[in-house]
Structures are given as structure tokens and as C-alpha cells.
Amino acid sequence: GESVGLHLPTLSVQEGDNSIINCAYSNSASDYFIWYKQESGKGPQFIIDIRSNMDKRQGQRVTVLLNKTVKHLSLQIAATQPGDSAVYFCAENPAGVKAAGNKLTFGGGTRVLVKP
Amino acid sequence: DTEVTQTPKHLVMGMTNKKSLKCEQHMGHRAMYWYKQKAKKPPELMFVYSYEKLSINESVPSRFSPECPNSSLLNLHLHALQPEDSALYLCASSQEIRSPLHFGNGTRLTVT
């Protein structure tokens, strides 16, 4: 289940089950969203992205859902494996940024623990 | 292995020291970024370079000075840092606007 407190929210999931990680984004002008995975001692690793003209996108074992009405993003991981244990961040990029380059803003993160 | 290489992996420096963090990518990306990450927190944007020009500075104190010598290299010069600047400093690059950032594994900085 999920727990929220002074530490990162944590999602404990049984190996083989599906995981769903949720993210509420803040800027209604954001038009590009990315999910990153960060393992201990490493930098964030790109998982999947989605633009605001889509509401669903699938990758290998992962699906991202975007609900612009309620400003909600989710990442679904199918058949979760021990190697999926990590911290997951959603990131949003506001539209209309005139300066070249992304101005990605990261959400707070969720720790996923996969139990064997 | 990441395609964005950061050196050094660890750095300990005193408050009066001057040091530099280095970042290199050979993916032909034209945008490069510095992020700062404290423990159990998300990365926070510091600087964005686009086509070797500084395009975004997120009100970072002047004791952090970025430099982009060419399209493959990005440096972060550090001077007179404070202990609260201790963090993981992440470099990233992207091909264009609205494309994913590729991160290095960071430099773990400790200011004593």
C-alpha cells in the first residue's frame, strides 16, 4: 500500500503484480510530461514521455495516462520486477517557454519497493 | 552506463576553495542543464544552456558559475560555497525543446 509522511511516499508491490504510481501536476499550461526512474547512486533515467495532445502512451511494460481535466498523471508498470525498485519522478514542462531548452519541473517522487 | 559523463563522482571542498564540476556528452545534443538534488528531494533546475548560450538561470547564487566551452562540454565553477550547498549535482542534455533530458550520474558534493 501507500504511505505518506516525512519521507518519500512509498509503494510496496509484490513481484509480478502491476504497479500504479500517481502524480498531480501543478501547472495547467504544461504540455509535455516525462516519467523518470532513479536508482540509488545514479541519475534519473528516462522511462516514457507524453505530450498534452495525447491521453495515453505505451512503452515496454509501462503505460502513462494523462488526465488534463484534473491535472493528473500516472505510470503503470506491468509485471513488476525486483529491478523496478527505485524512486520514480514525474516531470512537467510548461508550454510557451520562449527560452530554448526544457524547463522541466520535477514532482516529489514515489519510492517503489518490490517484494519477492 | 549513461551517455552523459560527469566528473568527479565525489568532491569534498572547504568553504574557501575553488573547484569545478565537469560534464561531457557526445550525442550531438544542443541543450545542456545543471540540476541540484538534495537527499530525498526531486532535482531542481539551476541553469540551461542552448546552443552554448545561457538561456535560463533559476536565480542561482553567484557562487555557482556555469560555463559551456563547446557543444559537448558543460562546467560548473564553485567558489565560496556554504555547507548547505552540499548535494548531488546532476548534468543533463537534450536534443531539442520538448525532448527528454538524459542525465549523468552526478557529482556528490560535500562542503565542509
Side-chain angles (χ1 to χ4, degrees):
Chain A
E2 280 192 29
S3 63
V4 177
L6 295 177
H7 306 286
L8 280 172
T10 299
L11 178 66
S12 293
V13 60
Q14 202 71 36
E15 181 179 356
D17 287 352
N18 296 336
S19 303
I20 300 176
I21 307 163
N22 296 303
C23 176
Y25 64 92
S26 55
N27 191 340
S28 57
S30 293
D31 68 346
Y32 179 54
F33 305 87
I34 307 179
W35 279 100
Y36 282 94
K37 170 188 180 182
Q38 187 172 24
E39 297 174 274
S40 180
K42 294 188 177 181
Q45 177 187 356
F46 170 79
I47 301 173
I48 192 168
D49 59 357
I50 188 168
R51 300 182 194 282
S52 59
N53 60 352
M54 303 173 71
D55 52 22
K56 180 179 180 178
R57 189 161 188 230
Q58 289 185 289
Q60 188 176 12
R61 277 202 309 122
V62 294
T63 301
V64 56
L65 299 177
L66 174 63
N67 185 331
K68 294 182 287 295
T69 303
V70 296
K71 292 191 287 187
H72 184 267
L73 196 66
S74 69
L75 178 71
Q76 300 176 4
I77 305 174
T80 312
Q81 301 169 1
D84 295 326
S85 292
V87 176
Y88 290 79
F89 293 101
C90 64
E92 60 181 300
N93 197 26
V97 175
K98 293 183 170 53
N102 286 302
K103 196 173 179 180
L104 273 184
T105 302
F106 282 74
T110 297
R111 184 180 305 280
V112 171
L113 292 177
V114 181
K115 297 178 288 186
Chain B
D1 285 343
T2 176
E3 295 177 82
V4 176
T5 304
Q6 291 188 244
T7 55
K9 286 185 170 48
H10 300 274
L11 179 62
V12 179
M13 62 185 289
M15 289 189 284
T16 58
N17 291 160
K18 284 185 182 181
K19 296 286 185 184
S20 297
L21 309 184
K22 297 186 182 302
C23 175
E24 188 168 2
Q25 58 89 13
H26 293 290
M27 294 179 282
H29 291 174
R30 302 314 299 262
M32 296 186 76
Y33 310 78
W34 282 114
Y35 277 80
K36 173 182 177 179
Q37 186 177 26
K38 301 283 271 185
K40 294 188 178 12
K41 297 290 187 184
E44 296 177 350
L45 182 64
M46 300 175 72
F47 302 105
V48 180
Y49 271 83
S50 178
Y51 291 87
E52 300 158 49
K53 290 190 176 3
L54 183 64
S55 59
I56 297 176
N57 176 342
E58 290 288 271
S59 303
V60 179
S62 60
R63 58 186 184 269
F64 295 92
S65 175
E67 178 197 19
C68 190
N70 60 54
S71 60
S72 300
L73 295 175
L74 187 66
N75 298 322
L76 186 63
H77 303 298
L78 314 172
H79 175 53
L81 295 194
Q82 304 296 310
E84 57 265 29
D85 296 321
S86 299
L88 180 68
Y89 288 84
L90 293 162
C91 174
S93 69
S94 71
Q95 190 170 23
E96 57 185 32
I97 301 173
R98 304 293 189 267
S99 63
L101 272 63
H102 296 258
F103 284 86
N105 285 329
T107 293
R108 175 75 58 190
L109 175 68
T110 303
V111 182
T112 60

